[in-house]
Every structure is written in structure tokens, then in C-alpha cells.
Amino acid sequence: MSVKPTVLKLGGSEITDKEKPLTPNLQIIERLADEIAQAKVSSLIVVHGGGSFGHHIAKQYKLTEGYSDPSQVVGFSETHRAMTKLNSLVMDSLISHNVNAVVVQPSSCVVMKAGRIQSMEKKPLIRMVDMGLVPVLYGDAVLDSDKGFAILSGDQLVTSLALNFGASRIIMGGDVDGLYTKDPKVNKSARLVDRVTLEELKTQKHDIEGSKATDVTGGMLGKVRELIPAIEQNIQVLLVNATKPLRVYKALRGEEVTGTIIERG
Ligand SMILES: Nc1ncnc2c1ncn2[C@@H]1O[C@H](COP(=O)(O)OP(=O)(O)OP(=O)(O)O)[C@@H](O)[C@H]1O
Ligand SMILES: [Mg+2]
């Protein structure tokens, strides 16, 4: 890519109601589309999570455990279908705000091995970004050469895209202000960490947990673990609360914003 891209994740935690199956947060999707349009980032890749469209069905059919029974196959199909429905809401909003967004379906261009990305078709993505298009990918059910199939989290996808395309930075939208000393939804004493290095993450023992909601890919703990290879390569990660207006906009513009910066240090 001629310009180093920014990789932005819209978490399932803000674009859906994770407590209620198949429930989008349409107002938040619309506002985020507007913020992305206003920010006018020259080289951008968007990934969105599954929220209550992905995790519930994937859990019901035990897709993260891989293929063990023919009765799961319909679960692959249903998980992917639900994700395409959420994705089309995101796409409609982005395009109606004049973002030149184009869907890239992970189930069609990624193969996994034992739950990790083994290969991804890169050429179309490079050409899209250079053409001024904004590729939009999402957490998805994906075929796996060891396990039959697996769930590819939006978080794993973000790091893989950032590493493969030499991203300048990663912005992770979520439903909390950033990384806290404990899960802020469970512990009132949790404090927001505004900046942390990898070394500090390892030694300070922040209490990073999964998710109170259904999340088959490990909630905040899974997210931070997935991001480590990108941070090790000096790609800065910024976690912001995308349920609050202008946080994603400011992050995209490189302006000061409430959130957590994770860097190699
Ligand atoms: N130390 C922590 N700091 C911040 N959040 C934490 C922490 N520990 C656990 N969490 C929880 O992690 C949740 C975010 O993870 P979750 O996987 O649910 O969101 P998401 O990745 O946006 O959704 P999706 O996986 O559908 O894209 C927060 O809502 C928060 O309650
Ligand atoms: Mg998650």
C-alpha cells in the first residue's frame, strides 16, 4: 500500500446489544459511520466484531472447538449469514455517509490452521486501499485446515491486517473507555489506564478479564493477547470508547482523546 493504513475495529460491544441476540445498535452504527466519514483518513481498513450476531450462534454450535459432528455444519452457515446481516447494516451506514466502503468476506479469503490465520488473499485489499476504497472485514466463521472450521475473531484479524500491510496504528473501539485495572463492568474500583507498555502489561498484572456478555473469542483478555504481536512490531494501539461521541473521530484524526495507548515502550 502506498500510504501506511490505519486499522480501525468497531467492536461488537458497541455496534450491537451483546445481551440480546441479533440486536444492532443502529444509532451507534450511524454515528460511527459519520465520524469515519468526517475524519477523512486517507488509508483505512475497517474490521467489525460479531457482538450478538456472531457469538451466540457460534457458541450454540460449539464452532470454536472445530468440526466434530455433521450437525455443526449448519451452525457455520448460520453464523456466517448472521454476520453478513450485521455487516450489511454497517455497509449501508458507511456508504450513505459517502465512505467508499467495500466488503471483504473473511470466510472467502482466509484459511486458518488450528485457530490461527494461515493464509489470506492480500492483493485485492492492497489494490482497494490504493484505489481509495475502504475495505470492511469482520469476525467470521472460517475454514480451518486442522479443525475443519474455526471462529476468526475481529481482534485476530486486526493484528494480522496491521502486520501484513504495515499499519501505522490500530484503533480499537469498545463499550468501555479503554483498558482498566479490572473489568469496569464488574468492579467499581477499576481505574482507567491511559498509557501502558507491553512490559508493564506483563509485570503490573492488570486484572484483564473476558466479557460479561457472550464472547467466544475471550473478551478483553483475548483482545489484548491478540494485539501483542502488532505492538511488538511497534504498531501503536489505542483503545477508545466508541459508544461516546467523537472518541473514534478524535482517534482517527490523531487528536488527544480519552482512552488507553498500548505501545512497545
Ligand atoms: N481490564 C479490563 N478493562 C476493560 N474492559 C475489560 C477488562 N476486563 C474485562 N473487560 C470487559 O471486556 C469487554 C470488551 O470485550 P468484548 O469482547 O465483550 O467486546 P468487543 O471485542 O467489542 O466485542 P466483539 O468481540 O463482539 O467484537 C468490556 O465490555 C469489559 O466489560
Ligand atoms: Mg470480543
Side-chain angles (χ1 to χ4, degrees):
M1 283 169 199
S2 40
V3 182
K4 285 184 165 196
T6 295
V7 180
L8 168 68
K9 184 186 173 205
L10 306 177
S13 58
E14 71 265 15
I15 62 170
T16 76
D17 181 341
K18 282 187 86 154
E19 306 293 338
K20 297 189 193 135
L22 304 175
T23 309
N25 279 336
L26 291 174
Q27 279 184 347
I28 291 186
I29 294 174
E30 278 290 304
R31 180 178 50 71
L32 288 170
D34 185 39
E35 291 187 23
I36 291 167
Q38 300 299 333
K40 296 187 174 55
V41 176
S42 58
S43 179
L44 179 67
I45 302 176
V46 175
V47 173
H48 68 78
S52 62
F53 284 72
H55 296 285
H56 289 83
I57 309 174
K59 188 175 176 194
Q60 186 189 337
Y61 288 96
K62 299 189 170 74
L63 296 191
T64 49
E65 293 167 25
Y67 176 87
S68 60
D69 190 276
S71 64
Q72 291 173 291
V73 178
V74 69
F76 183 99
S77 178
E78 284 179 16
T79 301
H80 176 68
R81 177 69 186 129
M83 284 308 301
T84 64
K85 287 185 180 167
L86 174 61
N87 175 255
S88 73
L89 299 172
V90 173
M91 298 310 292
D92 285 348
S93 288
L94 287 170
I95 291 169
S96 72
H97 285 88
N98 298 319
V99 176
N100 299 324
V102 59
V103 187
V104 177
Q105 288 193 0
S107 57
S108 313
C109 65
V110 175
V111 175
M112 298 178 85
K113 185 174 167 63
R116 311 302 305 168
I117 294 176
Q118 185 181 29
S119 65
M120 185 191 313
E121 194 60 63
K122 299 185 192 75
K123 279 186 195 154
L125 275 158
I126 295 171
R127 287 181 183 271
M128 283 172 190
V129 173
D130 286 343
M131 184 60 73
L133 291 161
V134 176
V136 180
L137 299 91
Y138 49 85
D140 202 0
V142 165
L143 294 162
D144 186 295
S145 55
D146 272 3
K147 297 172 34 159
F149 45 63
I151 292 297
L152 170 57
S153 71
D155 303 328
Q156 185 181 156
L157 201 45
V158 160
T159 292
S160 175
L161 292 163
L163 289 173
N164 273 296
F165 301 122
S168 54
R169 64 212 169 114
I170 294 173
I171 298 166
M172 302 291 286
D175 66 342
V176 293
D177 280 358
L179 183 67
Y180 283 77
T181 49
K182 297 171 181 158
D183 185 343
K185 288 196 184 155
V186 182
N187 299 281
K188 285 215 172 79
S189 63
R191 278 179 301 104
L192 180 65
V193 179
D194 54 12
R195 191 179 273 269
V196 66
T197 63
L198 266 190
E199 195 52 36
E200 286 165 351
L201 263 187
K202 285 178 198 154
T203 52
Q204 289 182 357
K205 304 235 182 314
H206 294 305
D207 199 358
I208 307 173
E209 290 163 39
S211 178
K212 217 162 58 69
T214 303
D215 192 291
V216 296
T217 52
M220 184 56 81
L221 183 58
K223 193 184 305 302
V224 171
R225 280 192 181 141
E226 287 295 356
L227 289 165
I228 286 173
I231 303 163
E232 279 171 344
Q233 291 306 312
N234 242 341
I235 301 172
Q236 192 188 75
V237 172
L238 175 56
L239 307 183
V240 290
N241 191 337
T243 68
K244 301 203 173 147
L246 295 177
R247 298 266 171 102
V248 166
Y249 170 81
K250 286 182 183 165
L252 287 170
R253 299 287 304 164
E255 294 173 12
E256 201 158 307
V257 60
T258 303
T260 302
I261 293 172
I262 313 179
E263 56 199 355
R264 193 171 71 176

Coordinates of all heavy atoms in Angstrom, one line a residue, residues 70-107:
P70 N -21.5 -33.6 12.1 CA -22.1 -33.0 10.9 C -23.2 -32.0 11.3 O -23.5 -31.1 10.5 CB -22.8 -34.2 10.1 CG -22.1 -35.4 10.7 CD -21.6 -35.1 12.0
S71 N -23.8 -32.1 12.5 CA -24.9 -31.2 12.9 C -24.3 -29.8 13.1 O -25.1 -28.8 13.2 CB -25.5 -31.7 14.2 OG -24.6 -31.7 15.2
Q72 N -23.0 -29.6 13.1 CA -22.5 -28.3 13.3 C -22.4 -27.5 12.0 O -22.3 -26.3 12.1 CB -21.0 -28.4 13.9 CG -20.9 -28.9 15.3 CD -19.4 -29.0 15.6 OE1 -18.7 -29.9 15.0 NE2 -18.9 -28.2 16.4
V73 N -22.5 -28.2 10.9 CA -22.2 -27.5 9.6 C -23.2 -26.4 9.4 O -22.9 -25.3 9.0 CB -22.2 -28.5 8.5 CG1 -22.0 -27.8 7.1 CG2 -21.1 -29.5 8.7
V74 N -24.5 -26.7 9.8 CA -25.5 -25.6 9.6 C -25.2 -24.4 10.5 O -25.5 -23.3 10.2 CB -26.9 -26.2 9.9 CG1 -27.1 -26.5 11.4 CG2 -28.0 -25.2 9.4
G75 N -24.5 -24.7 11.6 CA -24.1 -23.6 12.5 C -23.1 -22.7 11.8 O -23.1 -21.4 12.1
F76 N -22.2 -23.2 11.1 CA -21.2 -22.4 10.3 C -22.0 -21.5 9.3 O -21.8 -20.3 9.3 CB -20.3 -23.4 9.5 CG -19.2 -22.6 8.7 CD1 -17.9 -22.6 9.2 CD2 -19.5 -22.1 7.5 CE1 -16.9 -21.9 8.5 CE2 -18.5 -21.4 6.8 CZ -17.2 -21.3 7.3
S77 N -22.9 -22.1 8.6 CA -23.7 -21.4 7.7 C -24.5 -20.3 8.4 O -24.5 -19.1 7.9 CB -24.6 -22.4 7.0 OG -25.5 -21.8 6.1
E78 N -25.1 -20.6 9.5 CA -26.0 -19.6 10.2 C -25.1 -18.5 10.8 O -25.5 -17.3 10.8 CB -26.8 -20.3 11.3 CG -28.0 -21.1 10.8 CD -28.8 -21.8 11.9 OE1 -28.6 -21.4 13.1 OE2 -29.5 -22.7 11.5
T79 N -24.0 -18.8 11.3 CA -23.1 -17.8 11.9 C -22.7 -16.8 10.8 O -22.7 -15.6 11.0 CB -21.8 -18.4 12.6 OG1 -22.3 -19.4 13.6 CG2 -20.9 -17.4 13.2
H80 N -22.2 -17.4 9.7 CA -21.8 -16.5 8.6 C -22.9 -15.6 8.1 O -22.8 -14.4 7.9 CB -21.2 -17.3 7.5 CG -20.8 -16.5 6.3 ND1 -19.8 -15.6 6.3 CD2 -21.4 -16.4 5.1 CE1 -19.7 -15.0 5.2 NE2 -20.7 -15.4 4.4
R81 N -24.1 -16.2 8.0 CA -25.3 -15.5 7.5 C -25.6 -14.3 8.5 O -25.9 -13.2 8.0 CB -26.5 -16.4 7.4 CG -27.7 -15.7 6.9 CD -27.6 -15.3 5.5 NE -28.8 -14.5 5.1 CZ -28.7 -13.3 4.5 NH1 -27.5 -12.7 4.3 NH2 -29.8 -12.6 4.2
A82 N -25.6 -14.6 9.8 CA -25.9 -13.6 10.7 C -24.9 -12.4 10.6 O -25.2 -11.2 10.7 CB -25.9 -14.1 12.1
M83 N -23.6 -12.8 10.4 CA -22.6 -11.8 10.3 C -22.8 -10.9 9.0 O -22.5 -9.7 9.0 CB -21.2 -12.4 10.3 CG -20.7 -12.9 11.7 SD -20.9 -11.6 13.0 CE -19.8 -10.3 12.3
T84 N -23.3 -11.6 8.0 CA -23.5 -10.8 6.8 C -24.6 -9.8 7.0 O -24.6 -8.7 6.4 CB -23.8 -11.6 5.5 OG1 -25.0 -12.3 5.7 CG2 -22.7 -12.6 5.2
K85 N -25.6 -10.2 7.8 CA -26.7 -9.2 8.1 C -26.2 -8.0 8.9 O -26.5 -6.9 8.6 CB -27.8 -9.9 8.9 CG -28.6 -10.9 8.1 CD -29.8 -11.5 8.8 CE -30.5 -12.4 7.9 NZ -31.5 -13.3 8.7
L86 N -25.4 -8.3 9.9 CA -24.8 -7.1 10.7 C -23.9 -6.3 9.8 O -24.0 -5.1 9.8 CB -24.0 -7.7 11.9 CG -23.2 -6.6 12.7 CD1 -24.2 -5.6 13.3 CD2 -22.4 -7.3 13.8
N87 N -23.1 -7.0 9.0 CA -22.2 -6.3 8.0 C -23.0 -5.4 7.1 O -22.6 -4.3 6.8 CB -21.4 -7.3 7.3 CG -20.5 -6.6 6.2 OD1 -20.8 -6.7 5.0 ND2 -19.5 -5.9 6.7
S88 N -24.1 -5.9 6.6 CA -24.8 -5.0 5.6 C -25.4 -3.8 6.3 O -25.5 -2.7 5.6 CB -25.9 -5.8 4.9 OG -27.0 -6.1 5.7
L89 N -25.7 -3.8 7.6 CA -26.1 -2.6 8.3 C -25.0 -1.6 8.4 O -25.1 -0.4 8.2 CB -26.6 -2.9 9.7 CG -27.8 -3.9 9.8 CD1 -28.1 -4.3 11.2 CD2 -29.1 -3.2 9.2
V90 N -23.8 -2.2 8.7 CA -22.6 -1.3 8.8 C -22.3 -0.7 7.4 O -22.0 0.5 7.2 CB -21.4 -2.1 9.3 CG1 -20.1 -1.3 9.2 CG2 -21.6 -2.6 10.7
M91 N -22.4 -1.5 6.3 CA -22.1 -1.1 5.0 C -23.1 0.0 4.5 O -22.7 1.0 4.0 CB -22.1 -2.2 4.0 CG -21.1 -3.3 4.2 SD -19.4 -2.8 4.4 CE -19.1 -2.2 2.8
D92 N -24.4 -0.2 4.8 CA -25.4 0.8 4.4 C -25.1 2.1 5.1 O -25.1 3.2 4.4 CB -26.8 0.3 4.8 CG -27.3 -0.8 4.0 OD1 -26.7 -1.0 2.9 OD2 -28.4 -1.4 4.3
S93 N -24.7 2.1 6.3 CA -24.4 3.4 7.0 C -23.2 4.0 6.5 O -23.2 5.2 6.2 CB -24.2 3.1 8.5 OG -25.4 2.8 9.1
L94 N -22.1 3.2 6.3 CA -20.9 3.8 5.7 C -21.1 4.5 4.4 O -20.7 5.6 4.1 CB -19.8 2.8 5.7 CG -19.2 2.3 7.0 CD1 -18.3 1.1 6.8 CD2 -18.4 3.4 7.7
I95 N -21.8 3.7 3.5 CA -22.0 4.2 2.1 C -22.9 5.4 2.1 O -22.7 6.4 1.4 CB -22.4 3.0 1.2 CG1 -21.2 2.1 1.1 CG2 -22.8 3.6 -0.2 CD1 -21.6 0.7 0.4
S96 N -23.9 5.4 3.0 CA -24.8 6.6 3.0 C -24.1 7.8 3.5 O -24.6 8.9 3.3 CB -26.1 6.3 3.8 OG -25.8 6.2 5.2
H97 N -23.0 7.6 4.2 CA -22.2 8.8 4.7 C -21.0 9.0 3.7 O -20.1 9.7 4.1 CB -21.7 8.6 6.1 CG -22.8 8.7 7.1 ND1 -23.6 7.7 7.5 CD2 -23.2 9.8 7.8 CE1 -24.5 8.1 8.4 NE2 -24.2 9.4 8.6
N98 N -21.1 8.5 2.5 CA -20.1 8.7 1.5 C -18.7 8.2 1.8 O -17.7 8.7 1.3 CB -20.0 10.2 1.1 CG -21.3 10.7 0.6 OD1 -22.0 10.0 -0.2 ND2 -21.7 11.9 1.0
V99 N -18.7 7.1 2.6 CA -17.4 6.4 2.8 C -17.4 5.3 1.7 O -18.4 4.6 1.5 CB -17.3 5.7 4.2 CG1 -16.0 4.9 4.3 CG2 -17.4 6.7 5.3
N100 N -16.3 5.2 0.9 CA -16.2 4.3 -0.2 C -15.9 2.9 0.3 O -14.9 2.3 0.0 CB -15.1 4.7 -1.2 CG -15.5 6.1 -1.8 OD1 -16.6 6.4 -2.0 ND2 -14.4 6.9 -2.0
A101 N -16.8 2.3 1.1 CA -16.6 1.1 1.7 C -16.9 -0.1 0.8 O -17.8 0.0 0.0 CB -17.5 1.0 3.0
V102 N -16.1 -1.2 1.0 CA -16.4 -2.4 0.2 C -16.1 -3.6 1.1 O -15.2 -3.7 1.8 CB -15.5 -2.4 -1.1 CG1 -14.1 -2.3 -0.8 CG2 -15.8 -3.6 -2.0
V103 N -17.1 -4.6 1.1 CA -17.0 -5.7 1.9 C -15.9 -6.7 1.5 O -15.8 -7.0 0.3 CB -18.3 -6.6 2.0 CG1 -18.2 -7.7 3.0 CG2 -19.5 -5.7 2.2
V104 N -15.1 -7.2 2.4 CA -14.2 -8.3 2.1 C -14.6 -9.4 3.1 O -14.4 -9.3 4.3 CB -12.7 -7.9 2.3 CG1 -11.8 -9.1 2.1 CG2 -12.4 -6.8 1.3
Q105 N -15.2 -10.5 2.6 CA -15.7 -11.5 3.5 C -14.5 -12.4 3.9 O -14.0 -13.2 3.1 CB -16.7 -12.4 2.8 CG -18.0 -11.8 2.5 CD -19.0 -12.8 2.1 OE1 -18.7 -14.0 2.0 NE2 -20.2 -12.3 1.8
P106 N -14.2 -12.5 5.2 CA -13.1 -13.4 5.7 C -13.3 -14.8 5.3 O -12.4 -15.5 5.0 CB -13.1 -13.1 7.2 CG -13.6 -11.8 7.3 CD -14.7 -11.6 6.3
S107 N -14.6 -15.3 5.4 CA -14.8 -16.7 5.1 C -14.4 -17.1 3.7 O -14.1 -18.3 3.4 CB -16.3 -17.1 5.3 OG -17.1 -16.3 4.5

